[in-house]
Amino acid sequence: MTTPDEGAPLVEDFECCFEFQPGWIDLTLREGTKAEAKALATQVVNSLNPLALEIEKSAVFDDMVDRAVDLNDDAPTLAAAYYTESGEALANLMVDSYGDEGVERPTREEVQPLLLEWANGEVTGDPQVSYLDLPAGPAVRVQAMLQVKRMLGFGRKLTEFIKYAVFPPGMKSLVVITVTWEAIARTEEIAELVDEAVQTLRLTPLATGDGAPITDGTTE
């Protein structure tokens, strides 16, 4: 999603957490280093059931390291990926927040077209759009197919995505969850996993300075 370039960025601390179903792996890196990604991948891979894996543990490890580094490249609020029991990575999930100091947060109707903008691809076909109320706040959800430019600009690949723009009470920021996947044949399954995960999202504003939670206007 693109945002206006005018105005200073809104700095608003908040806690973001999901009650993820089995299969979702939190890949958020605090330092963003490959060493941190390797430590995380080591812990996760060692906890996998070796009898269920259809992929070498070393391949799962390498994939998880590279995926964690890539997903954290722009320092998202949270990064995660869904892995099957066999070790296959199905989907990437990222949470980001947007806002400019002194600029009023846009409405759901104003945000909707922005959710369909991509720097490295373009939406193909008619997107699915819905407005709903989540435990974390009012939201707009879009789902669509995306033609993504390949490396060096040679050709395009087909990807599908879901974006949720959430308007948390007690906050000024707009929080956007972006999930992408290439296993188009498993779209229905992945979309269900995403929608279930987003229902568990909790966003808690934090007071500036001491990190104490702000209770007035937040969602329990």
Side-chain angles (χ1 to χ4, degrees), residues 16 35 48 57 87 96 123 133 146 148 181 199 204-205 209 215:
C16 171
L48 298 178
K57 287 180 67 172
D96 290 287
V123 170
D133 292 314
L146 185 70
V148 180
W181 65 94
Q199 285 291 334
T204 306
T215 57

Coordinates of all heavy atoms in Angstrom, one line a residue, residues 16 35 48 57 87 96 123 133 146 148 181 199 204-205 209 215:
C16 N 1.3 -5.8 19.1 CA 0.6 -6.5 18.0 C 0.8 -8.0 18.3 O 1.9 -8.5 18.3 CB 1.1 -6.1 16.7 SG 0.4 -7.2 15.3
A35 N 22.0 -13.8 11.4 CA 22.3 -14.6 12.6 C 21.1 -14.8 13.5 O 20.9 -15.9 14.0 CB 23.4 -13.9 13.4
L48 N 10.1 -29.5 14.9 CA 9.2 -30.1 13.9 C 9.2 -31.6 14.0 O 10.2 -32.2 14.5 CB 9.7 -29.7 12.5 CG 9.6 -28.2 12.1 CD1 10.2 -28.0 10.7 CD2 8.2 -27.7 12.2
K57 N 15.3 -31.4 6.5 CA 15.3 -30.4 7.5 C 16.2 -29.2 7.1 O 15.9 -28.1 7.4 CB 15.7 -31.0 8.9 CG 14.6 -31.8 9.5 CD 15.1 -32.4 10.9 CE 15.3 -31.3 11.9 NZ 15.6 -31.8 13.3
G87 N 6.6 -29.5 5.8 CA 7.7 -28.5 5.7 C 7.6 -27.5 4.6 O 8.5 -26.7 4.4
D96 N 2.0 -4.0 9.1 CA 2.6 -2.7 9.1 C 1.6 -1.6 9.6 O 0.4 -1.9 9.6 CB 3.1 -2.3 7.7 CG 4.2 -3.1 7.2 OD1 5.3 -2.9 7.7 OD2 4.0 -4.0 6.3
V123 N -2.9 -5.7 -10.0 CA -4.0 -6.6 -9.8 C -4.6 -7.0 -11.1 O -4.8 -6.2 -12.0 CB -5.0 -5.8 -8.9 CG1 -6.3 -6.6 -8.8 CG2 -4.5 -5.6 -7.5
D133 N -16.3 -5.8 11.0 CA -15.8 -5.4 12.3 C -15.0 -6.6 12.9 O -15.6 -7.6 13.2 CB -17.0 -5.0 13.2 CG -17.6 -3.7 12.7 OD1 -16.9 -2.8 12.4 OD2 -18.9 -3.6 12.6
L146 N -2.6 -11.2 -8.4 CA -1.6 -10.2 -8.7 C -0.6 -10.7 -9.6 O -0.1 -11.8 -9.4 CB -0.9 -9.8 -7.3 CG 0.1 -8.6 -7.4 CD1 -0.6 -7.3 -7.6 CD2 0.9 -8.6 -6.1
V148 N 3.0 -10.3 -10.6 CA 4.2 -9.7 -10.0 C 5.4 -9.8 -11.0 O 5.6 -10.8 -11.6 CB 4.6 -10.4 -8.7 CG1 5.9 -9.8 -8.1 CG2 3.4 -10.4 -7.7
W181 N 0.6 -15.4 -1.4 CA 0.9 -16.8 -1.6 C 0.9 -17.1 -3.1 O 0.2 -16.4 -3.9 CB -0.1 -17.8 -0.9 CG -1.5 -17.7 -1.3 CD1 -2.1 -18.5 -2.3 CD2 -2.5 -16.8 -0.9 NE1 -3.4 -18.2 -2.4 CE2 -3.7 -17.2 -1.5 CE3 -2.5 -15.8 0.1 CZ2 -4.9 -16.5 -1.3 CZ3 -3.7 -15.1 0.3 CH2 -4.9 -15.5 -0.4
Q199 N -8.9 -12.8 13.0 CA -9.9 -12.7 14.0 C -9.3 -12.7 15.4 O -9.9 -12.3 16.4 CB -11.0 -13.9 13.9 CG -12.0 -13.7 12.8 CD -12.9 -12.6 13.0 OE1 -13.2 -12.2 14.1 NE2 -13.5 -12.0 11.9
T204 N -2.7 -3.3 21.0 CA -2.8 -2.6 22.3 C -1.9 -1.4 22.2 O -0.6 -1.5 22.1 CB -2.4 -3.5 23.5 OG1 -3.2 -4.6 23.4 CG2 -2.6 -2.7 24.8
P205 N -2.4 -0.1 22.2 CA -1.6 1.1 22.2 C -0.7 1.1 23.5 O -1.2 0.6 24.6 CB -2.6 2.2 22.2 CG -3.9 1.6 21.7 CD -3.9 0.2 22.2
G209 N 7.0 6.4 26.5 CA 8.0 6.5 27.6 C 8.1 5.2 28.5 O 9.0 4.5 28.3
T215 N -5.5 1.9 28.5 CA -6.7 1.1 28.5 C -7.9 1.8 28.0 O -8.9 1.2 27.6 CB -7.0 0.7 30.0 OG1 -7.1 1.9 30.8 CG2 -5.9 -0.2 30.5

